[in-house]
Amino acid sequence: MLEMIKQILDFWFIEEDASSPMTRALWDEACTEYDSFIKHKFEGLHYLAVQGKLNSWLRQPKSCLAFIILMHQFPKRMHRGSPTAYQFDSFAIKATDRGRDRKLDKELAII
């Protein structure tokens, strides 16, 4: 699972070549290529999180951040234009609150 946490964080935060279509798509509201990539790569992991099988990720700073991205940002891309895109916000909010209460955010490097 450590590799999946790294993949989420690297995907979300590491800037690729500025000319890359995927880098430009990060800020494009309607890039189906980007949406499809996220769905293909992370939907299975997202499903595990919904089932509660990734709750152990909430114990450490980086894994908690990856969980928040997986539950808040990725559904917006995987389910664009559907109410389902917002269905998982409560998971992300609870994870954020829990991480903040445990001061996990203080252990993360500034991005």
Side-chain angles (χ1 to χ4, degrees):
M1 282 297 168
L2 289 176
E3 180 59 30
M4 292 309 301
I5 293 164
K6 182 178 179 341
Q7 285 182 22
I8 291 169
L9 296 176
D10 286 352
F11 177 78
W12 199 249
F13 292 111
I14 293 183
E15 187 173 336
E16 294 181 29
D17 176 2
S19 64
S20 164
M22 293 308 280
T23 300
R24 289 192 315 266
L26 178 60
W27 306 111
D28 182 354
E29 287 298 317
C31 181
T32 56
E33 178 186 6
Y34 188 72
D35 295 352
S36 295
F37 179 82
I38 289 175
K39 188 170 187 168
H40 174 74
K41 184 153 180 87
F42 298 110
E43 186 175 41
L45 200 58
H46 179 263
Y47 183 68
L48 291 176
V50 170
Q51 292 178 317
K53 294 183 178 178
L54 301 182
N55 287 345
S56 63
W57 286 23
L58 301 174
R59 296 183 192 135
Q60 298 296 321
K62 288 184 178 181
S63 57
C64 186
L65 179 57
F67 185 92
I68 292 165
I69 293 166
L70 185 64
M71 299 308 287
H72 187 267
Q73 295 298 314
F74 288 176
K76 306 296 187 279
R77 299 289 184 161
M78 293 187 300
H79 305 287
R80 184 183 302 282
S82 164
T84 305
Y86 302 94
Q87 181 178 342
F88 308 100
D89 285 358
S90 63
F91 288 84
I93 291 167
K94 287 177 186 173
T96 301
D97 289 344
R98 182 176 177 170
R100 190 178 53 240
D101 291 346
R102 293 177 170 210
K103 299 191 183 336
L104 297 180
D105 57 315
K106 303 296 182 196
E107 299 179 42
L108 291 169
I110 296 174
I111 299 170

